[in-house]
Amino acid sequence: AQSVSQHNHHVILSEAASLELGCNYSYGGTVNLFWYVQYPGQHLQLLLKYFSGDPLVKGIKGFEAEFIKSKFSFNLRKPSVQWSDTAEYFCAVGQPGTYKYIFGTGTRLKVLA
Amino acid sequence: EAGVTQFPSHSVIEKGQTVTLRCDPISGHDNLYWYRRVMGKEIKFLLHFVKESKQDESGMPNNRFLAERTGGTYSTLKVQPAELEDSGVYFCASTTWAPGGNTIYFGEGSWLTVV
């Protein structure tokens, strides 16, 4: 069965620190990969997505993610976090042609001012 | 453009009662999805509508859950009778169809607490 693992459940960083959130998935076929963010009191928003092509994907708000097929990973990175990045981050996997996503359990990021 | 809207945003009901959650997708989006997040766990797919038809309801937990999308516009998800384990956040999402993939848009979620 497909699954998505997010290894960090809670992360606390100071402003300007670098961020890397891990995401690994288990699925042997072609996948679409996503990172979503949910700010307090808001809806899930798409940060970035990978369908094909360049494995280094740039998203909104300075976030990027790298798809490493051999490692089944799609880690999220940001060089310098801000207090406003405090949120919960979800990695998700979907098969091309479907929007039936498999989500990870989420990572709560708290950035200290 | 209005986003996906969900109602109610929060609901507290007693075990055994009935709750109906509503989702209004973005106008023109034929595809509508329901997801659920039980506290501390992953967000899980419940079902998928294409217009008024259930395309995939493999994620529905049991027959206490009934989803409808009459007329292919808004959708409702009824839980009857509610159990304690039904507590969580119910997300609705919608999208248009694109062969290579597309972005789906989520609502803010309906928080359900069963006591």
Side-chain angles (χ1 to χ4, degrees), chain B residues 74-111:
Chain B
Y74 70 91
S75 174
T76 57
L77 180 64
K78 181 191 285 188
V79 185
Q80 180 182 29
E83 298 289 343
L84 298 178
E85 64 264 24
D86 301 332
S87 296
V89 185
Y90 291 77
F91 292 101
C92 177
S94 72
T95 188
T96 55
W97 178 258
N102 207 347
T103 300
I104 68 172
Y105 297 87
F106 284 85
E108 293 185 9
S110 288
W111 291 75

Side-chain angles (χ1 to χ4, degrees), chain A residues 8 28 39 52 68:
Chain A
N8 317 100
Y39 298 102
S52 63
I68 303 179

Side-chain angles (χ1 to χ4, degrees), chain A residues 32 34 36 38 41-46 49 51 88 90 96-108, chain B residues 31 33 35 37 40-45 56 58 91 95-108:
Chain A
N32 294 334
F34 308 84
Y36 279 85
Q38 187 172 26
Q42 296 188 26
H43 60 89
L44 281 163
Q45 301 173 37
L46 181 67
K49 61 186 177 185
F51 287 171
E88 191 160 17
F90 296 91
T98 175
Y99 300 101
K100 183 180 174 180
Y101 294 171
I102 309 295
F103 282 87
T105 51
T107 298
R108 288 186 182 272
Chain B
N31 292 275
Y33 301 80
Y35 285 81
R37 188 185 191 197
K41 301 211 170 174
E42 67 272 25
I43 301 169
K44 282 194 171 179
F45 168 84
D56 181 350
S58 61
F91 292 101
T95 188
T96 55
W97 178 258
N102 207 347
T103 300
I104 68 172
Y105 297 87
F106 284 85
E108 293 185 9

